[in-house]
Amino acid sequence: MSAETEAERLNRVSRGYDADNPASSLSLQAEAYTDAHWFAADRDAIIARSWQWVCHVEKLREPGSYVAAEIAGHPIVVVRSTMKGGALTAFYNVCKHRAHQLLSGEGTTRAITCPYHAWVYDLSGQLTSARHTQHLVDFDTSAICLDQVQVAEFGGFVYVNLDPTATSLVEQTGGLATGLGAEIEHWAPDVEQLTFAHRLTYEIESNWKNVVDNFLECYHCHVAHKDFVSLVDMDTYEVTTNGIYSSHMAEAGKTANTAYDVSDATVTDHAVWWLWPNTCLMRYPGRGNMIVMQIIPLGPERTAETYDFFLETSEPNEAELSSIHYLDNVLQPEDIALVESVQRGMRTPAFDAGRIVVDPAGSGLSEHALHHFHGLVLNAYRQHEQGVV
């Protein structure tokens, strides 16, 4: 029996998906959420080739500041130059001598010194000194430099992309005058002045795409999130898809809600964006704020999730503590239970794919943003299979 080709695998996983009409489309086939082959494709074709969130710009404002992170299993570090102008540069966080990790966590430095053998690089990545190498043949420090990756400051945050051929994040999200950057500027003009206040972390027994799917539709909200639908006016909830992102907008509810107190709110809209493939930016009713949810694939059926809260002050006020408590103790347990149940169901022979439910008006009751996400996934698989970079 001949081995299955990658093209045949792709045809099978996309069976029933209608790229042109979400109202006649099925979702991705269940194997895309359970098979280790597709998890490897997710890592190599999607995460390693897309713009990945690293941090708020506040962590990299000072000359010499750095933040280390891991993207698609690869250690990277972003640094702010000490030179005039202070540009950001990102590198693989790997010494060119014996591949030891160079920097950990975050901080400030004037040079990058490997903790293994003390090779020293400047903040442009250039090797400046290497101990006891004067007797080596054809060894030239000026010929050795850390490998760079793309980096961007966008909408108050810092992103990197391991794909050297990827177009800029600004271009991919619709340009400066329109698109995601303009939307964030309109709905969250204070985002760069906000400061980190709190982090929530979760490990979920589900494929990362199920977590994204759940985030992209509120068809389930009236059923599963009774408190949430009292927080926002669901009659105003509208979802719009745009290139590599989608916008999820609603007004805050006008009456008392059961989620948390918003009586003194200065932000009176629920403005949420999903940025391909795994970053979710959320501005909830309350004081000035931005919540970044990062969905991190760990395995075919295991996902890490972080919620970073950026607020007007580093100490949340009473209402914000209440909102954090609501997210941590009510909304997240509700959503985690949902996606873990879906994951279990996808392992059974009883499910292969389901219909996409569409509201032509683009309301929160529609799953067209989920269909949009699936199209981007399949396109990434297709390009990877064809060797397009």
Side-chain angles (χ1 to χ4, degrees):
M1 184 175 179
S2 60
E4 185 178 37
T5 68
E6 193 63 25
E8 289 169 336
R9 280 182 179 270
L10 185 55
N11 287 336
R12 189 175 67 246
V13 82
S14 60
R15 187 173 62 246
Y17 177 81
D18 186 335
D20 299 320
N21 186 6
S24 65
S25 184
L26 294 178
S27 62
L28 295 175
Q29 294 286 313
E31 70 173 272
Y33 300 82
T34 60
D35 194 312
H37 172 87
W38 294 113
F39 174 75
D42 290 342
R43 181 193 60 221
D44 298 338
I46 297 177
I47 304 300
R49 294 186 178 181
S50 58
W51 287 98
Q52 293 289 305
W53 182 85
V54 176
C55 64
H56 189 278
V57 293
E58 71 169 349
K59 287 190 177 181
L60 290 164
R61 282 200 179 110
E62 297 302 315
S65 55
Y66 68 86
V67 172
E70 184 177 289
I71 306 297
H74 300 287
I76 63 97
V77 62
V78 184
V79 299
R80 176 76 71 182
S81 172
T82 56
M83 303 292 287
K84 186 176 180 180
L88 285 182
T89 309
F91 312 99
Y92 283 98
N93 192 14
V94 175
C95 184
K96 302 300 280 188
H97 174 219
R98 294 272 297 281
H100 197 280
Q101 181 170 317
L102 294 165
L103 294 169
S104 300
E106 58 191 68
T108 58
T109 186
R110 299 193 66 83
I112 302 171
T113 301
C114 180
Y116 195 7
H117 298 100
W119 281 30
V120 181
Y121 304 81
D122 66 23
L123 298 191
S124 73
Q126 178 64 55
L127 182 67
T128 57
S129 67
R131 297 166 51 248
H132 304 297
T133 56
Q134 63 269 28
H135 302 298
L136 298 184
V137 177
D138 296 329
F139 183 82
D140 181 4
T141 57
S142 68
I144 299 174
C145 191
L146 301 178
D147 291 5
Q148 290 194 19
V149 300
Q150 292 202 68
V151 62
E153 295 181 63
F154 179 83
F157 298 101
V158 176
Y159 298 81
V160 298
N161 194 323
L162 302 185
D163 181 1
T165 69
T167 55
S168 73
L169 184 53
V170 168
E171 182 179 346
Q172 288 192 31
T173 54
L176 289 173
T178 59
L180 178 58
E183 290 188 29
I184 293 173
E185 175 65 25
H186 174 76
W187 293 102
D190 59 346
V191 63
E192 290 195 24
Q193 284 69 55
L194 300 176
T195 189
F196 175 76
H198 194 71
R199 167 172 275 200
L200 300 173
T201 60
Y202 308 92
E203 190 164 313
I204 304 170
E205 293 182 9
S206 174
N207 185 272
W208 73 278
K209 296 188 295 295
N210 264 330
V211 180
V212 174
D213 285 352
N214 182 70
F215 180 86
L216 289 176
E217 50 90 359
C218 221
Y219 182 44
H220 71 281
C221 290
H222 286 90
V223 180
H225 302 314
K226 303 296 187 184
D227 300 300
F228 178 81
V229 298
S230 74
L231 176 65
V232 302
D233 182 353
M234 291 301 295
D235 290 337
T236 67
Y237 204 116
E238 184 176 0
V239 179
T240 307
T241 60
N242 306 274
I244 66 162
Y245 75 97
S246 57
S247 308
H248 306 247
M249 305 295 183
E251 297 174 7
K254 302 298 190 294
T255 59
N257 71 81
T258 57
Y260 62 90
D261 181 23
V262 294
S263 58
D264 293 326
T266 54
V267 173
T268 57
D269 293 290
H270 170 78
V272 170
W273 300 271
W274 167 77
L275 174 61
W276 163 260
N278 58 331
T279 301
C280 306
L281 308 170
M282 300 175 280
R283 184 145 166 118
Y284 271 35
R287 281 200 304 174
N289 70 92
M290 187 70 86
I291 308 165
V292 180
M293 181 175 75
Q294 190 74 348
I295 299 165
I296 305 164
L298 296 179
E301 299 185 281
R302 195 161 61 93
T303 299
E305 195 174 66
T306 59
Y307 271 76
D308 285 299
F309 293 78
F310 299 94
L311 307 173
E312 293 181 11
T313 58
S314 60
E315 292 294 327
N317 65 22
E318 186 174 346
E320 288 161 346
L321 287 171
S322 178
S323 70
I324 292 169
H325 182 271
Y326 162 68
L327 283 167
D328 191 27
N329 291 278
V330 179
L331 189 61
Q332 272 298 96
E334 290 171 345
D335 275 330
I336 290 171
L338 293 173
V339 298
E340 290 187 340
S341 178
V342 168
Q343 190 69 33
R344 291 191 296 270
M346 285 184 167
R347 291 194 215 112
T348 73
F351 182 85
D352 48 16
R355 285 296 296 268
I356 299 292
V357 176
V358 175
D359 176 2
S363 75
L365 299 178
S366 180
E367 294 179 331
H368 62 285
L370 186 148
H371 176 267
H372 170 241
F373 169 52
H374 292 179
L376 291 170
V377 168
L378 292 172
N379 186 57
Y381 289 167
R382 193 171 298 112
Q383 290 186 348
H384 189 58
E385 182 264 330
Q386 295 170 350
V388 177
V389 296

